[in-house]
Amino acid sequence: MRVDVVTLFPEMVETLLQFGVTGRAVSRGLLAVMTWNPRNSTNGRYRAVDDRPYGGGPGMVMKVQPLRDTLKMVRCSVEPSGRTIYLSPQGKLLDQDGVRDLAKEARLVLLAGRYEGIDERLIEAEVDEEWSIGDYVLSGGELAALVLIDTLARLLPGALNDSKSSEQDSFMDSLLDFPHYTRPVDVDGRRVPDVLLGGNHAAIACWRQREALGRTWLRRPELLATRSLNAAEQILLDDFIREYQAREADSGD
Ligand code: ADE
């Protein structure tokens, strides 16, 4: 996958991509990330990429011309360059379904804004989609672009050492992840659940599915409301709820 990132802070993007799964995806040739600085497409003495907002108010707005010229260069260098995505709090909320959909693309162009945002006419004319990584405001789109690239890299075949890893990620099945344990078996009296020590793979799979369903029910019930459960999953969740309620009743005595 090739991702072109338009950003005033290319080093920020390049540095963070060197580590972990994204770093490995790049070194294995599965992911190529190019950065483009709109400051290099500015004219004039001050090389301004921003200007004051029409109508007044605080902050500055990114100008059309440097961004438009930068996007033109991106599209000349990669043909076709793929969907152009603007990261902003006004965008569609990114979730694992959205990531899975974007991961089908061979190429993407990510536009990271700064200041109060980007002149709306650039968005109308040049942007295909607007995505947000959450209902909060970052100081710029770079971290959002990095979050998106990281989530995409996990899904590239060969990026994870164990290809099953990403299938087991939280949300891949619209559920939260089950709990994980490693050695030692006992930490200050807290033991690893016996089922994980027994080597019965079917029982382990059942336990994990039950925990994933139960945690989702406890922590993110709205995820279950949009996902239908099959008969086996319903039995596992009912069992989790029964046990949970019995524990709660015990601790209330
Ligand atoms: N830029 C600033 N805040 C953002 C957010 N929440 N998501 C994506 N891009 C952003």
Side-chain angles (χ1 to χ4, degrees):
M1 174 178 236
R2 154 114 182 206
V3 183
D4 290 88
V5 186
V6 177
T7 166
L8 286 169
F9 298 107
E11 294 87 352
M12 203 173 155
V13 174
E14 286 153 9
T15 307
L16 285 172
L17 286 175
Q18 289 170 19
F19 304 99
V21 172
T22 45
R24 204 160 55 222
V26 170
S27 63
R28 287 180 180 171
L30 307 169
L31 173 69
V33 180
M34 286 279 290
T35 54
W36 303 80
N37 191 341
R39 179 103 41 206
N40 297 334
S41 299
T42 50
N43 319 308
R45 199 141 66 101
Y46 298 105
R47 310 195 69 196
V49 288
D50 58 333
D51 206 340
R52 284 169 299 161
Y54 277 118
M60 301 289 272
V61 176
M62 289 184 83
K63 290 158 68 71
V64 169
Q65 175 267 317
L67 289 173
R68 192 168 49 194
D69 290 355
T70 308
L71 286 170
K72 232 180 244 162
M73 287 197 317
V74 174
R75 289 170 189 150
C76 282
S77 96
V78 243
E79 188 57 59
S81 54
R83 280 141 85 174
T84 298
I85 291 171
Y86 173 40
L87 284 316
S88 102
Q90 282 69 246
K92 190 170 160 205
L93 209 51
L94 186 68
D95 60 9
Q96 195 66 26
D97 285 343
V99 175
R100 244 190 313 252
D101 184 45
L102 292 171
K104 293 180 194 143
E105 302 289 319
R107 290 167 183 167
L108 289 173
V109 180
L110 306 185
L111 185 53
R114 282 269 149 183
Y115 313 112
E116 292 308 303
I118 292 179
D119 189 309
E120 193 64 23
R121 293 163 296 180
L122 184 282
I123 300 169
E124 285 168 10
E126 307 284 351
V127 167
D128 297 308
E129 290 162 36
E130 212 165 323
W131 286 89
S132 164
I133 63 158
D135 290 336
Y136 41 78
V137 180
L138 300 163
S139 313
E142 286 77 11
L143 284 173
L146 284 162
V147 165
L148 176 55
I149 294 169
D150 188 289
T151 56
L152 290 169
R154 299 180 63 75
L155 299 187
L156 296 176
L160 300 182
N161 285 332
D162 180 348
S163 69
K164 292 223 166 52
S165 262
S166 77
E167 285 163 33
Q168 291 190 358
D169 275 349
S170 291
F171 303 115
M172 282 308 271
D173 197 18
S174 301
L175 296 177
L176 299 186
D177 202 3
F178 50 80
H180 299 264
Y181 301 89
T182 186
R183 287 183 290 182
V185 165
D186 191 302
V187 175
D188 301 331
R190 294 174 195 273
R191 279 182 54 80
V192 173
D194 284 337
V195 62
L196 301 180
L197 305 172
N200 179 340
H201 295 298
I204 290 170
C206 263
W207 181 86
R208 287 178 167 166
Q209 179 76 351
R210 197 186 81 123
E211 292 299 309
L213 287 160
R215 279 189 152 189
T216 311
W217 172 77
L218 273 175
R219 300 180 188 189
R220 297 288 304 277
E222 80 281 7
L223 292 177
L224 283 184
T226 56
R227 181 193 189 279
S228 57
L229 301 186
N230 64 32
E233 288 171 334
Q234 192 62 58
I235 289 169
L236 289 172
L237 178 58
D238 289 345
D239 187 53
F240 180 97
I241 294 172
R242 236 188 335 269
E243 219 172 79
Y244 172 79
Q245 287 172 339
R247 235 184 359 252
E248 287 290 289
D250 270 358
S251 66
D253 286 347

